[in-house]
Amino acid sequence: MPLYTYIAAFKGATYASQGSFSNFKGFVSAWSDLPANALPGLTPALKKELTQKAYRGEFLEVPNKKHLWRKSIDLNGDEFVVYAVQTQI
């Protein structure tokens, strides 16, 4: 199974994680199960909102890039962005 690197960004902070899966789309736990203080602006209430919204919407391919997708989630008016990078084939 391919290895994916997930890079999450929120309010100027970033967090990276990895996991091996058959595809990147269905494995929200790889990027949404964040350790405490991984993204300081992500309060418990916003983390709960993220959990509720994580499966909504689609990852979009980043133009002119291979094996790179982006997803944006609105959390109380702020943008939570996660990138999925197919790191290993």
Side-chain angles (χ1 to χ4, degrees):
M1 282 190 268
L3 175 69
Y4 293 97
T5 300
Y6 298 92
I7 302 163
F10 186 67
K11 292 188 174 184
T14 57
Y15 173 76
S17 62
Q18 291 184 312
S20 291
F21 308 109
S22 60
N23 69 65
F24 64 88
K25 295 179 184 181
F27 299 95
V28 171
S29 64
W31 56 266
S32 66
D33 188 19
L34 304 167
N37 299 318
L39 296 173
L42 193 62
T43 64
L46 291 176
K47 191 170 182 179
K48 182 177 179 181
E49 185 178 343
L50 173 63
T51 301
Q52 294 170 347
K53 292 182 174 181
Y55 285 101
R56 297 181 197 164
E58 292 292 322
F59 274 92
L60 303 174
E61 287 185 89
V62 175
N64 302 315
K65 304 294 179 195
K66 290 184 179 183
H67 309 292
L68 177 60
W69 300 267
R70 180 184 190 276
K71 183 173 187 167
S72 176
I73 299 170
D74 180 282
L75 294 181
N76 198 31
D78 290 305
E79 185 180 38
F80 179 95
V81 177
V82 62
Y83 292 92
V85 183
Q86 186 172 344
T87 309
Q88 178 187 37
I89 299 174

